Amino acid sequence: MDIDRLDLRILAILQKNNRLSNIELADQVGLSAPACLKRVQRLRKEKVIVDDVSIINPKLVGNTLTMIVSVEMDRDQADIYQRFRRSMDQAPEITQCYQVSGNYDFLLVVCVKDIQAYEEFVDRVLHTQLNIRKFHTSVSLRTVKFSTEVDLKGLTKDR
Amino acid sequence: MDIDRLDLRILAILQKNNRLSNIELADQVGLSAPACLKRVQRLRKEKVIVDDVSIINPKLVGNTLTMIVSVEMDRDQADIYQRFRRSMDQAPEITQCYQVSGNYDFLLVVCVKDIQAYEEFVDRVLHTQLNIRKFHTSVSLRTVKFSTEVDLKGLTKDR
DNA sequence: GTTGAAATAATCTCTAT
DNA sequence: ATAGAGATTATTTCAAC
């Protein structure tokens, strides 16, 4: 799928706020409402727009503790990694997980209510994973930035 | 602000999909449309719902490289930390930044187009920060999980 | 929180470019 | 293949209860 300047402008707006009406959006990018809608629908269908969601403040809902967990696996075996990756989806406490190169293999961002909830998470998710050699937890003292926006500057792939 | 079971159900739905109509939402939680709308408006006003956004697939838009950067600061000085934190907001490449306890001080998740863009980012954002003692970059081989959902299980603070 | 009504918006079809 | 105009349908949102 190719994405032109107009699509990028639409994406730039929607990734900041997807609750403006199609009419407003069309206005801002200089299209008629139907033309604009067609583009947005296409972007959703093609999964350029993956999801449309409300972002909740975890603190205001009781999840005040964020932990950064680095995980080192026992062996570099494809099936072990795959099993581990699949287990990540099952745990709602894990908000992000990256497979990385370097001293450890996976980096997890875990968001929980309190230390008890974290311990429960460790028991349920990490200690049941054989093949973890070791893992290291550090506490996030502050979420300095949490953005869902993709940097769209300098991506003017025109057709 | 207190949040009852109904609010939590509303949040659980909206953080998965905020594009369903208020009527559908009301239906799913068992309220009339206006009653439901009032709750949602309140949740937005009170910033329990922080934002409403479209999530873009960074790969489909050209940002294929994710870097994990750990930063160690020179001194534990409040103003130095504060300045650093403020600079995080300025850089669109930084999607997440956590201030952490342990061997290093900040953890950054940086999303860019390619290595050149990353080098440009390092020069512009990190090398201009005096007070960084050192930083370490590792490449994300795979984004195993990226979720914006907050775990709402076991948070039944009723009134 | 509900019901009913008015104002808005989304979206479909069709036409034109 | 993509944009625009008009009409239909659906939704949001306001009052009154």
Short mmCIF file of all heavy atoms in Angstrom, two decimals, chain A residues 1-37:
data_model
loop_
_atom_site.label_atom_id
_atom_site.label_comp_id
_atom_site.label_asym_id
_atom_site.label_seq_id
_atom_site.Cartn_x
_atom_site.Cartn_y
_atom_site.Cartn_z
N MET A 1 0.84 -1.21 0.00
CA MET A 1 0.00 0.00 0.00
C MET A 1 0.86 1.24 0.00
O MET A 1 1.78 1.37 0.80
CB MET A 1 -0.83 0.02 1.29
CG MET A 1 -1.54 1.34 1.50
SD MET A 1 -2.53 1.35 2.97
CE MET A 1 -3.40 2.90 2.76
N ASP A 2 0.56 2.19 -0.86
CA ASP A 2 1.32 3.41 -0.68
C ASP A 2 0.51 4.53 -0.08
O ASP A 2 -0.71 4.60 -0.17
CB ASP A 2 2.11 3.85 -1.92
CG ASP A 2 1.34 3.80 -3.20
OD1 ASP A 2 0.12 4.09 -3.19
OD2 ASP A 2 1.95 3.48 -4.21
N ILE A 3 1.29 5.34 0.59
CA ILE A 3 0.74 6.36 1.46
C ILE A 3 1.25 7.70 0.97
O ILE A 3 2.46 7.92 0.90
CB ILE A 3 1.24 6.08 2.90
CG1 ILE A 3 0.62 4.77 3.42
CG2 ILE A 3 0.91 7.23 3.83
CD1 ILE A 3 1.22 4.27 4.71
N ASP A 4 0.34 8.56 0.61
CA ASP A 4 0.78 9.85 0.10
C ASP A 4 0.72 10.92 1.19
O ASP A 4 0.42 10.63 2.35
CB ASP A 4 -0.03 10.26 -1.14
CG ASP A 4 -1.50 10.48 -0.81
OD1 ASP A 4 -1.86 10.49 0.38
OD2 ASP A 4 -2.29 10.64 -1.75
N ARG A 5 1.03 12.14 0.79
CA ARG A 5 1.09 13.24 1.76
C ARG A 5 -0.21 13.40 2.54
O ARG A 5 -0.21 13.63 3.73
CB ARG A 5 1.38 14.56 1.03
CG ARG A 5 2.85 14.85 0.81
CD ARG A 5 3.04 16.32 0.47
NE ARG A 5 4.16 16.49 -0.45
CZ ARG A 5 4.08 16.35 -1.76
NH1 ARG A 5 2.92 16.03 -2.33
NH2 ARG A 5 5.14 16.52 -2.51
N LEU A 6 -1.31 13.29 1.80
CA LEU A 6 -2.62 13.45 2.46
C LEU A 6 -2.84 12.38 3.52
O LEU A 6 -3.33 12.68 4.62
CB LEU A 6 -3.75 13.40 1.42
CG LEU A 6 -4.06 14.71 0.70
CD1 LEU A 6 -5.03 14.47 -0.44
CD2 LEU A 6 -4.62 15.73 1.68
N ASP A 7 -2.48 11.16 3.18
CA ASP A 7 -2.61 10.08 4.16
C ASP A 7 -1.78 10.38 5.40
O ASP A 7 -2.24 10.20 6.53
CB ASP A 7 -2.15 8.74 3.56
CG ASP A 7 -3.08 8.25 2.46
OD1 ASP A 7 -4.30 8.42 2.61
OD2 ASP A 7 -2.58 7.70 1.47
N LEU A 8 -0.58 10.84 5.16
CA LEU A 8 0.29 11.15 6.31
C LEU A 8 -0.30 12.26 7.17
O LEU A 8 -0.22 12.20 8.40
CB LEU A 8 1.70 11.55 5.82
CG LEU A 8 2.58 10.39 5.34
CD1 LEU A 8 3.88 10.92 4.75
CD2 LEU A 8 2.88 9.41 6.46
N ARG A 9 -0.91 13.24 6.52
CA ARG A 9 -1.54 14.31 7.31
C ARG A 9 -2.71 13.77 8.11
O ARG A 9 -2.91 14.13 9.27
CB ARG A 9 -2.01 15.44 6.39
CG ARG A 9 -0.84 16.23 5.80
CD ARG A 9 -1.31 17.47 5.07
NE ARG A 9 -2.02 18.37 5.95
CZ ARG A 9 -2.79 19.38 5.53
NH1 ARG A 9 -2.92 19.59 4.23
NH2 ARG A 9 -3.40 20.16 6.39
N ILE A 10 -3.47 12.89 7.49
CA ILE A 10 -4.59 12.27 8.20
C ILE A 10 -4.07 11.47 9.39
O ILE A 10 -4.59 11.60 10.52
CB ILE A 10 -5.39 11.35 7.23
CG1 ILE A 10 -6.16 12.19 6.22
CG2 ILE A 10 -6.32 10.43 8.01
CD1 ILE A 10 -6.80 11.40 5.10
N LEU A 11 -3.04 10.68 9.15
CA LEU A 11 -2.48 9.85 10.24
C LEU A 11 -1.95 10.73 11.38
O LEU A 11 -2.15 10.43 12.56
CB LEU A 11 -1.35 8.97 9.69
CG LEU A 11 -1.78 7.85 8.75
CD1 LEU A 11 -0.57 7.19 8.10
CD2 LEU A 11 -2.63 6.82 9.46
N ALA A 12 -1.27 11.80 10.99
CA ALA A 12 -0.70 12.70 12.00
C ALA A 12 -1.78 13.25 12.91
O ALA A 12 -1.59 13.39 14.13
CB ALA A 12 0.08 13.83 11.32
N ILE A 13 -2.92 13.55 12.33
CA ILE A 13 -4.03 14.09 13.12
C ILE A 13 -4.67 12.99 13.97
O ILE A 13 -4.88 13.17 15.17
CB ILE A 13 -5.08 14.75 12.20
CG1 ILE A 13 -4.48 16.01 11.55
CG2 ILE A 13 -6.34 15.10 12.98
CD1 ILE A 13 -5.27 16.57 10.39
N LEU A 14 -4.95 11.86 13.35
CA LEU A 14 -5.68 10.80 14.07
C LEU A 14 -4.87 10.16 15.18
O LEU A 14 -5.42 9.68 16.16
CB LEU A 14 -6.13 9.70 13.09
CG LEU A 14 -7.25 10.10 12.14
CD1 LEU A 14 -7.63 8.91 11.26
CD2 LEU A 14 -8.47 10.60 12.90
N GLN A 15 -3.55 10.18 15.05
CA GLN A 15 -2.76 9.57 16.12
C GLN A 15 -2.65 10.52 17.32
O GLN A 15 -2.20 10.12 18.38
CB GLN A 15 -1.38 9.14 15.64
CG GLN A 15 -0.40 10.24 15.39
CD GLN A 15 0.99 9.72 15.11
OE1 GLN A 15 1.30 8.57 15.41
NE2 GLN A 15 1.83 10.56 14.55
N LYS A 16 -3.07 11.75 17.13
CA LYS A 16 -3.18 12.67 18.27
C LYS A 16 -4.59 12.67 18.84
O LYS A 16 -4.78 12.82 20.04
CB LYS A 16 -2.82 14.10 17.84
CG LYS A 16 -1.34 14.33 17.69
CD LYS A 16 -1.05 15.83 17.54
CE LYS A 16 0.42 16.07 17.23
NZ LYS A 16 1.32 15.62 18.30
N ASN A 17 -5.57 12.50 17.98
CA ASN A 17 -6.96 12.55 18.40
C ASN A 17 -7.84 11.91 17.35
O ASN A 17 -7.99 12.45 16.26
CB ASN A 17 -7.36 14.01 18.62
CG ASN A 17 -8.83 14.16 18.93
OD1 ASN A 17 -9.51 13.20 19.30
ND2 ASN A 17 -9.34 15.36 18.77
N ASN A 18 -8.41 10.80 17.69
CA ASN A 18 -9.27 10.12 16.71
C ASN A 18 -10.75 10.38 16.97
O ASN A 18 -11.60 9.72 16.40
CB ASN A 18 -8.97 8.61 16.68
CG ASN A 18 -9.51 7.90 17.91
OD1 ASN A 18 -9.92 8.51 18.88
ND2 ASN A 18 -9.48 6.57 17.87
N ARG A 19 -11.03 11.34 17.84
CA ARG A 19 -12.44 11.63 18.13
C ARG A 19 -12.99 12.82 17.38
O ARG A 19 -14.16 13.14 17.50
CB ARG A 19 -12.66 11.82 19.63
CG ARG A 19 -12.40 10.54 20.41
CD ARG A 19 -12.96 10.61 21.81
NE ARG A 19 -14.39 10.72 21.81
CZ ARG A 19 -15.09 11.81 22.14
NH1 ARG A 19 -14.47 12.91 22.50
NH2 ARG A 19 -16.39 11.80 22.11
N LEU A 20 -12.18 13.50 16.61
CA LEU A 20 -12.76 14.57 15.81
C LEU A 20 -13.63 13.94 14.74
O LEU A 20 -13.41 12.83 14.31
CB LEU A 20 -11.71 15.51 15.24
CG LEU A 20 -10.36 15.04 14.75
CD1 LEU A 20 -10.45 13.98 13.71
CD2 LEU A 20 -9.58 16.21 14.20
N SER A 21 -14.61 14.67 14.33
CA SER A 21 -15.54 14.12 13.35
C SER A 21 -14.84 14.05 12.00
O SER A 21 -13.88 14.77 11.74
CB SER A 21 -16.77 15.00 13.24
OG SER A 21 -16.43 16.22 12.63
N ASN A 22 -15.35 13.20 11.18
CA ASN A 22 -14.82 13.08 9.83
C ASN A 22 -14.87 14.41 9.09
O ASN A 22 -13.99 14.72 8.30
CB ASN A 22 -15.60 12.00 9.08
CG ASN A 22 -15.07 11.82 7.69
OD1 ASN A 22 -13.89 11.54 7.50
ND2 ASN A 22 -15.94 12.00 6.71
N ILE A 23 -15.90 15.18 9.39
CA ILE A 23 -16.05 16.49 8.75
C ILE A 23 -14.91 17.43 9.14
O ILE A 23 -14.30 18.08 8.29
CB ILE A 23 -17.43 17.10 9.13
CG1 ILE A 23 -18.54 16.28 8.48
CG2 ILE A 23 -17.51 18.56 8.74
CD1 ILE A 23 -19.94 16.64 8.92
N GLU A 24 -14.61 17.47 10.42
CA GLU A 24 -13.49 18.30 10.89
C GLU A 24 -12.17 17.84 10.26
O GLU A 24 -11.36 18.65 9.82
CB GLU A 24 -13.33 18.17 12.40
CG GLU A 24 -14.23 19.05 13.22
CD GLU A 24 -13.97 18.81 14.71
OE1 GLU A 24 -14.54 17.83 15.25
OE2 GLU A 24 -13.20 19.56 15.31
N LEU A 25 -12.00 16.53 10.27
CA LEU A 25 -10.77 15.96 9.71
C LEU A 25 -10.64 16.34 8.23
O LEU A 25 -9.58 16.82 7.79
CB LEU A 25 -10.79 14.43 9.86
CG LEU A 25 -9.59 13.67 9.32
CD1 LEU A 25 -8.31 14.06 10.05
CD2 LEU A 25 -9.81 12.16 9.41
N ALA A 26 -11.72 16.15 7.51
CA ALA A 26 -11.73 16.48 6.08
C ALA A 26 -11.36 17.95 5.88
O ALA A 26 -10.58 18.29 4.99
CB ALA A 26 -13.11 16.19 5.50
N ASP A 27 -11.93 18.77 6.73
CA ASP A 27 -11.66 20.19 6.70
C ASP A 27 -10.18 20.48 6.88
O ASP A 27 -9.59 21.27 6.14
CB ASP A 27 -12.44 20.85 7.83
CG ASP A 27 -13.27 22.00 7.33
OD1 ASP A 27 -14.01 21.77 6.36
OD2 ASP A 27 -13.13 23.10 7.89
N GLN A 28 -9.59 19.86 7.86
CA GLN A 28 -8.20 20.14 8.20
C GLN A 28 -7.23 19.69 7.11
O GLN A 28 -6.16 20.27 6.96
CB GLN A 28 -7.82 19.48 9.53
CG GLN A 28 -8.47 20.17 10.72
CD GLN A 28 -7.90 19.67 12.04
OE1 GLN A 28 -6.73 19.28 12.13
NE2 GLN A 28 -8.72 19.67 13.07
N VAL A 29 -7.58 18.62 6.39
CA VAL A 29 -6.67 18.17 5.34
C VAL A 29 -7.08 18.68 3.96
O VAL A 29 -6.38 18.45 2.98
CB VAL A 29 -6.55 16.62 5.31
CG1 VAL A 29 -6.02 16.10 6.63
CG2 VAL A 29 -7.88 15.97 4.98
N GLY A 30 -8.24 19.38 3.91
CA GLY A 30 -8.65 19.96 2.64
C GLY A 30 -9.30 18.99 1.67
O GLY A 30 -9.05 19.04 0.47
N LEU A 31 -10.12 18.10 2.21
CA LEU A 31 -10.86 17.17 1.35
C LEU A 31 -12.35 17.29 1.68
O LEU A 31 -12.73 17.85 2.70
CB LEU A 31 -10.43 15.72 1.64
CG LEU A 31 -9.14 15.18 1.03
CD1 LEU A 31 -8.86 13.80 1.56
CD2 LEU A 31 -9.20 15.17 -0.48
N SER A 32 -13.17 16.72 0.82
CA SER A 32 -14.59 16.60 1.15
C SER A 32 -14.74 15.45 2.14
O SER A 32 -13.88 14.58 2.22
CB SER A 32 -15.40 16.29 -0.10
OG SER A 32 -15.13 14.97 -0.52
N ALA A 33 -15.83 15.48 2.89
CA ALA A 33 -16.03 14.45 3.90
C ALA A 33 -15.98 13.02 3.32
O ALA A 33 -15.28 12.17 3.86
CB ALA A 33 -17.34 14.69 4.65
N PRO A 34 -16.68 12.75 2.24
CA PRO A 34 -16.64 11.37 1.72
C PRO A 34 -15.25 10.95 1.26
O PRO A 34 -14.82 9.83 1.53
CB PRO A 34 -17.62 11.40 0.54
CG PRO A 34 -18.51 12.55 0.83
CD PRO A 34 -17.66 13.57 1.52
N ALA A 35 -14.55 11.83 0.59
CA ALA A 35 -13.21 11.50 0.12
C ALA A 35 -12.28 11.19 1.29
O ALA A 35 -11.50 10.23 1.26
CB ALA A 35 -12.65 12.66 -0.70
N CYS A 36 -12.43 12.00 2.32
CA CYS A 36 -11.61 11.81 3.51
C CYS A 36 -11.95 10.48 4.20
O CYS A 36 -11.07 9.71 4.57
CB CYS A 36 -11.82 12.98 4.47
SG CYS A 36 -10.79 12.91 5.93
N LEU A 37 -13.24 10.24 4.30
CA LEU A 37 -13.68 8.99 4.94
C LEU A 37 -13.14 7.78 4.22
O LEU A 37 -12.70 6.81 4.84
CB LEU A 37 -15.22 8.95 4.97
CG LEU A 37 -15.83 7.75 5.69
CD1 LEU A 37 -15.47 7.78 7.17
CD2 LEU A 37 -17.34 7.72 5.51
#
